[in-house]
């Protein structure tokens, strides 16, 4: 066997070994990813223990929300209790500051076709540590008591290495657009960690243009029910899903600063 042929065979073996090592490393990293369960993620303590809050937030059972035109939505927890956020009690500037988010981050995703500016709101958040690929999953339900041209968006914010901001719902902007006096129904949120590190998961709901007719955001570990005519559990329609990949102009805004 010539020296040239022998060298080629050795090279091929090295490449094959390298490929096995890469695949093995990738498989190991994938296998290590887990679904994280935060303390009191189902709120069945009947309290907000393990969570921090800003503004008007409570642990609530069935809650009836009446809109400006006297539409009544009854939102019911999966078991006995859920987190309930009403968009009053703190300025959006103070919420961003408390969470370590750059000023204007939330308003940049308030895509109100009529123009607007976020005024006040509330936040529910919890710190935790995780590894690359780990996930957190929650169910949420958004109710608007206001009407177009107001927008009143709600958000899920994953603060940490490679964190993100997702618009969950609004009256007529990004996320699930519910319309005047609308209800999103119970929807699913999943956040995936982009790197090992310390994180904070925050849910936020806000007012746009004024501070009069509040938005509501309900959070639970799994979907509850709502009456009357609760839309089915699901995710944003395809037109909204397409926005997820558009970076700064889409539903997801990457955070450049880690708190």
């Amino acid at each position: 066997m010539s020296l040239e042929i022998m060298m080629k065979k050795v090279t091929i073996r090295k490449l094959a070994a390298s490929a096995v090592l890469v695949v093995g490393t990738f498989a190991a990293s994938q296998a290590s990813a887990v679904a994280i369960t935060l303390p009191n993620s189902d709120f069945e303590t009947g309290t907000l223990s393990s969570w921090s809050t800003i503004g008007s937030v409570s642990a609530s059972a069935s809650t009836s929300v009446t809109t400006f035109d006297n539409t009544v939505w009854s939102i019911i927890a999966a078991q006995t209790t859920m987190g309930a956020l009403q968009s009053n009690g703190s300025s959006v500037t103070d919420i961003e500051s408390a969470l370590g988010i750059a000023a204007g981050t939330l308003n940049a995703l308030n895509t109100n076709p009529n123009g607007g500016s976020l005024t006040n709101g509330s936040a529910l958040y919890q710190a935790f540590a995780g590894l690359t690929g780990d996930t957190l999953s929650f169910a949420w339900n958004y109710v608007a008591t206001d009407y177009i041209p107001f927008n009143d968006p709600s958000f899920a914010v994953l603060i940490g290495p490679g964190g993100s901001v997702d618009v969950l719902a609004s009256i007529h902007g990004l996320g699930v657009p519910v319309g005047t006096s609308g209800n999103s129904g119970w929807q699913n949120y999943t956040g995936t960690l982009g790197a090992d590190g310390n994180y904070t998961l925050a849910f936020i709901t806000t007012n746009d243009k004024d501070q009069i007719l509040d938005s509501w955001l309900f959070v639970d570990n799994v979907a509850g029910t709502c009456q009357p005519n609760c839309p089915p559990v699901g995710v944003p329609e395809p037109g909204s899903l397409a926005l997820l990949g558009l970076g700064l102009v889409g539903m997801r805004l990457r955070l450049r600063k880690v708190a």
Side-chain angles (χ1 to χ4, degrees), residues 44-240:
E44 289 305 304
T45 62
T47 70
L48 295 173
S49 63
S50 300
W51 295 90
S52 298
T53 66
I54 305 170
S56 181
V57 184
S58 63
S60 175
S62 177
T63 300
S64 292
V65 177
T66 302
T67 72
F68 85 100
D69 57 3
N70 292 319
T71 299
V72 179
W73 296 103
S74 293
I75 313 300
I76 303 163
Q79 298 182 61
T80 63
T81 314
M82 59 191 168
L85 295 77
Q86 184 178 358
S87 61
N88 63 52
S90 183
S91 70
V92 168
T93 299
D94 286 345
I95 290 173
E96 290 176 329
S97 177
L99 294 174
I101 302 171
T105 296
L106 299 180
N107 205 54
L109 291 174
N110 178 33
T111 55
N112 187 338
N114 300 99
S117 181
L118 301 182
T119 56
N120 63 340
S122 295
L124 172 73
Y125 60 101
Q126 185 173 157
F128 65 98
L131 303 177
T132 304
D134 288 352
T135 58
L136 302 99
S137 296
F138 280 85
W140 58 270
N141 193 321
Y142 168 89
V143 179
T145 67
D146 218 333
Y147 53 90
I148 297 172
F150 302 94
N151 199 34
D152 299 354
S154 63
F155 306 87
V157 185
L158 187 58
I159 304 163
S164 60
V165 181
D166 288 284
V167 182
L168 298 178
S170 60
I171 293 177
H172 63 142
L174 293 176
V176 178
V178 302
T180 292
S181 299
N183 177 4
S184 68
W186 284 95
Q187 307 286 334
N188 298 316
Y189 165 78
T190 298
T192 303
L193 308 192
D196 298 357
N198 295 317
Y199 287 82
T200 297
L201 175 66
F203 293 99
I204 304 169
T205 196
T206 65
N207 279 318
D208 170 44
K209 292 179 178 286
D210 67 5
Q211 301 182 28
I212 301 173
L213 295 169
D214 296 328
S215 62
W216 286 77
L217 182 65
F218 299 92
V219 180
D220 211 340
N221 65 327
V222 294
T225 58
C226 56
Q227 297 294 334
N229 303 319
C230 181
V233 174
V235 295
E237 295 179 358
S240 295

